[in-house]
Amino acid sequence: MKLRSYMFIGFFLSLLLAIMPFSVNFTNAATPTVVAPVSTTSFTQGVKKTVLDNGLTVLTKEVHTAPVVSVQVWYKVGSRNEVKGENGLSHQLEHLMFKGTTARPVQFGRLFSALGSQFNAFTSYDETVYFGTVQRDKLEALLTLEADRMENSLIGTEQLKSEKRVVISELQGYENSPSFRLDRAVMRDAFPTRAYGLSVGGTKADVEKFTIEQVRNYYQTYYSPDNATLVITGDFATEPVLKVVKETYGKLAKRGNEEKRTRENVAPSSLVASTTKKAPIVLKQPGSASLLQAVYPLPDIKHPDVPAIDVMDAILTGGRSSRLYQALVESGLASSVSGGAAELIEPGWYDISATAAPGQELGKIAQVLQESLEKLQQQPVTIEELNRSKTQLQASYILGNQDITSQANQLGYNQTIAGDYHFIEKYLAAIAKVTPAQVQKVAKTYLNPAKQTIGFFEPTQPDGKPGTSSAGSGRTVENFSPGKPVDPAELAKYLPPATSATDSTKQSLPEEFTLNNGLRVLLLRDRSLPTINLSGQIDAGTEFDGNQKAGLANLTAGNLMNGTKTKNALTLAKILEDRGAGLSFSASREGTSISGEGLSENLPILIQTLSDVLKNATFPAEQLELSRQRALTSLKVKLDDPSGLGRQVFQQAIYPENHPFHSFPTVESLKSITRDDLLGFYQTHYRPDSTTIAIVGDFDPVKVKTLLNQAFDKWQVTGKPPVLKIPSVPFPQTSTRLNKVIPGKAEAVTYIGYSGISRKDPRYYAAVILNQILGGDTLSSRLGTEVRDRLGLTYGIFSGFAAGINPGPFLIQMQTAPVDTQKAIASTLALLKQLREQGVTEAELNAAKRSISNSYPVDLANPSNVSSMILDNAVLGLSRSEIRDFPQRIQAVTMAQMQQAIEDLIKPENLVIVTAGPGDAVPKGS
């Protein structure tokens, strides 16, 4: 169940910020409840729609929960509007929209970063969207920049040449994924005469042939005010802002051919069902796991069957209690299954995807899938299933709209795709009225075997092992000379002025207390929305695994929801899914994380379920075997992924074999883990005095304290929790090069770095600023400016300090074509040497401080983020006031501290460099 996530099947411009507001994963959710329609007015309450004389639609919604605003521009153009030979034109133009304008010939990512905006863009089937969220005093500046590039974007020869390389790098990166290649083959076969059958991002062959004239004509045709919707949500006053909008956007002229824009690309014959079932598409290529994908044609988003189709999807794939999860995953046939309805401007499709468990045949999975669909067609669904699915859908929209960026997305999507921002109200009201008969009817109508297109991916490398590994002997270019760092003062002249600075609302601090058994709790009441966000951590991370039992912490965490002394796995799942709530556990290096969410009325259920699982998990043997098979599949997929394999090799090259951070699961270690191992790990490490919980949301603190004491008072342990002493790791003595070859890949992924610092290191705040300058932002950092923007060698490059309780690695990551890898590495090393030898300027230091401080309130505007931040600060041993004081600590960093951080932490001669991918072979075009 993907919940209208097809609005984000777009191809993201950069590795900046991915916002998926409607994809709520219900991996867990007993008694059926009567489902009443949710109040839908909150989604559109206070929205004002204004249409300017030039046709621009403006949607404004005041939301005064945080001192931030979101600005989004939705253009009604996507891959649907492309014709043969120009596949990817919408996506290519999206990239070029960041290259500057005639008045501001500078990378717009740098301007947005200077404002402290959290920004990005995406292209999808029906739309191309640009969005940014900033402090409220930067609203006018953001509006000015978006208006400028609506009419005056620079689309020249040099811009197109460099950005073509970046787009091709992006597309070739997708070629690394077997699921992408299978999806492409299935969609081309399902829709051979329609643009929806083409990849949104395009093909390398078409992108290489794009001309300046093509792109400019496309821009002139579709980037017109009357083909766009401007959405503004957040902390502002409507009338003054509308005045600014009219002054800024009202002067933009209509342009382009409106008749061309409104053409329909649906060939009538493509909607007529085949009378015979097609043979499966079979891809036999290098890869890891076996994959299945089935596609069925659907109507458009305005069709009256849409609500019943989405309820049907939730019944089939909405969580652990869903029919296909029970039939395929719980039976051991598949390691995962998912589904989603693409309901778009033109008739869309329903998609079901499954990953086979080790040793299972795709033909058998297809057979069980078909039997499950036939049962849905022949027998009405139960009231219990129906109500559960409705509740999941309704809750997902409330939980998915907790922040203003997501609220703006909701409005923009409904206005652009459905033609009416009120669509959400009608949709949710219709969901509440769906009957068993309607679900059965749409199953019969749309899940017809004769309409199905099904594809199988059969890996030719069944063991999932990478190819040969060798130490790199090729020398990098020694005379590489990086460009001069961007001068913030030069950049500032292109920035629109901000309005008078406003004092940000003081962040409330959480209340902290400890239960009698040692469990730490942090509570922060937020009554702005009827939601709960729960974050937690147990000191039971993979650092306790050891090499022989690597994977033990993850298997333990993954089996917690598989049964307690009084409830089996399905009962636990239904308890939560019946209420649209979620609770999940996952082990990371330094702890097992707890993630819970739901409507505020369901907080007691969340806490009671969490308590039951932490105190009474039973680890049933049959469920352990199923989770082991899923872990083995995940391992194969990871070893077949340049990012996953590269990161593992990189980390194991930094940390010696006896170091806790060296261990990663292997086939042998996963197979060796017994149920007794899980019980032992659980009894040793799952303790109240090793557990911290943070809850943010709409609750009564007094009642929650009582609830927590009642739920956890019988969770008692003796002795002290295990403590692991993590040895420090020095810098490498010399640089080390390692290459891992994975057959069948198109792009390489490279990691560069060494062991870094901990979060409590006194140099941490200087390191945050240093990283912002070096590679913290793909479009505005030195690495992004040089390697991506100027040279066009990579789709994405970024750096980071993984600073935890213990020092984690400092790393730079990039994706490149094999022919560009050496040059990109050389460019990066030269930039590191430049930084080490020349340092940073005062202007760069101040600009980075402003960018970090200005974007921080945006993080605080999302309750889910706040819950995680409060928890992290507590687990890392920081003060409760850190969530409030962080910007001041950033501002307090001096130039002397920055210079010391560079001297201590930037070591160009002592790097570990790991590249994973296709080796030196030139990849074939897509």
Side-chain angles (χ1 to χ4, degrees), residues 132-182:
T133 304
V134 293
Q135 287 191 95
R136 59 190 172 201
D137 59 304
K138 310 297 191 305
L139 172 57
E140 289 189 27
L142 211 52
L143 288 170
T144 299
L145 291 175
E146 288 296 352
D148 189 16
R149 64 175 174 175
M150 182 180 280
E151 187 170 66
N152 304 308
S153 279
L154 276 178
I155 302 173
T157 303
E158 287 305 311
Q159 288 88 356
L160 181 58
K161 181 181 177 183
S162 69
E163 212 58 30
K164 269 188 183 183
R165 294 188 69 178
V166 171
V167 167
I168 290 170
S169 172
E170 178 183 358
L171 298 181
Q172 293 297 94
Y174 299 130
E175 293 292 326
N176 285 351
S177 166
S179 62
F180 173 84
R181 302 199 299 270
L182 177 61

Side-chain angles (χ1 to χ4, degrees), residues 205-389:
D206 280 2
V207 170
E208 285 176 334
K209 292 185 289 189
F210 288 157
T211 66
I212 287 292
E213 290 71 29
Q214 260 184 307
V215 182
R216 284 178 180 165
N217 287 339
Y218 206 74
Y219 174 63
Q220 291 293 329
T221 299
Y222 293 104
Y223 279 58
S224 178
D226 57 327
N227 198 47
T229 297
L230 171 66
V231 186
I232 309 167
T233 57
D235 193 16
F236 62 89
T238 300
E239 292 309 318
V241 165
L242 281 177
K243 183 182 178 184
V244 173
V245 167
K246 289 171 183 175
E247 292 171 351
T248 309
Y249 289 81
K251 62 188 178 185
L252 304 182
K254 285 186 187 180
R255 62 181 193 274
N257 186 330
E258 190 171 350
E259 184 178 341
K260 181 181 178 183
R261 289 204 302 263
T262 57
R263 72 184 177 201
E264 295 294 318
N265 283 331
V266 186
S269 61
S270 69
L271 300 181
V272 177
S274 170
T275 55
T276 57
K277 187 174 180 179
K278 293 188 288 186
I281 298 162
V282 180
L283 297 187
K284 294 186 177 182
Q285 298 174 356
S288 50
S290 298
L291 309 172
L292 173 150
Q293 182 176 357
V295 165
Y296 304 83
L298 287 184
D300 63 76
I301 193 171
K302 295 181 182 180
H303 195 282
D305 283 347
V306 161
I309 290 169
D310 287 355
V311 172
M312 176 192 74
D313 171 44
I315 289 169
L316 286 172
T317 66
R320 188 168 191 166
S321 63
S322 68
R323 291 194 176 193
L324 291 184
Y325 191 98
Q326 290 294 312
L328 296 176
V329 180
E330 291 288 1
S331 69
L333 286 172
S335 62
S336 66
V337 64
S338 62
E343 294 141 346
L344 308 169
I345 291 176
E346 295 174 9
W349 62 93
Y350 184 59
D351 176 299
I352 299 173
S353 298
T355 301
Q360 297 296 334
E361 294 294 326
L362 291 172
K364 177 63 175 176
I365 294 174
Q367 177 189 336
V368 173
L369 168 62
Q370 185 57 39
E371 290 169 356
S372 298
L373 300 185
E374 288 174 358
K375 183 179 179 181
L376 186 64
Q377 293 167 334
Q378 295 163 4
Q379 302 173 17
V381 299
T382 66
I383 295 300
E384 178 187 2
E385 284 181 297
L386 185 72
N387 288 341
R388 181 185 308 128
S389 300

Side-chain angles (χ1 to χ4, degrees), residues 718-737:
T718 58
K720 293 187 176 181
V723 177
L724 202 60
K725 199 161 187 179
I726 307 287
S728 61
V729 174
F731 290 113
Q733 292 299 306
T734 58
S735 283
T736 303
R737 284 293 308 271

Side-chain angles (χ1 to χ4, degrees), residues 428-466:
L428 288 175
I431 288 288
K433 296 176 182 176
V434 171
T435 65
Q438 288 174 311
V439 174
Q440 189 175 14
K441 174 179 173 286
V442 296
K444 287 180 178 178
T445 303
Y446 301 108
L447 302 182
N448 185 335
K451 297 179 181 179
Q452 179 197 69
T453 304
I454 192 167
F456 297 159
F457 181 90
E458 298 178 355
T460 56
Q461 202 178 349
D463 58 4
K465 292 180 180 177

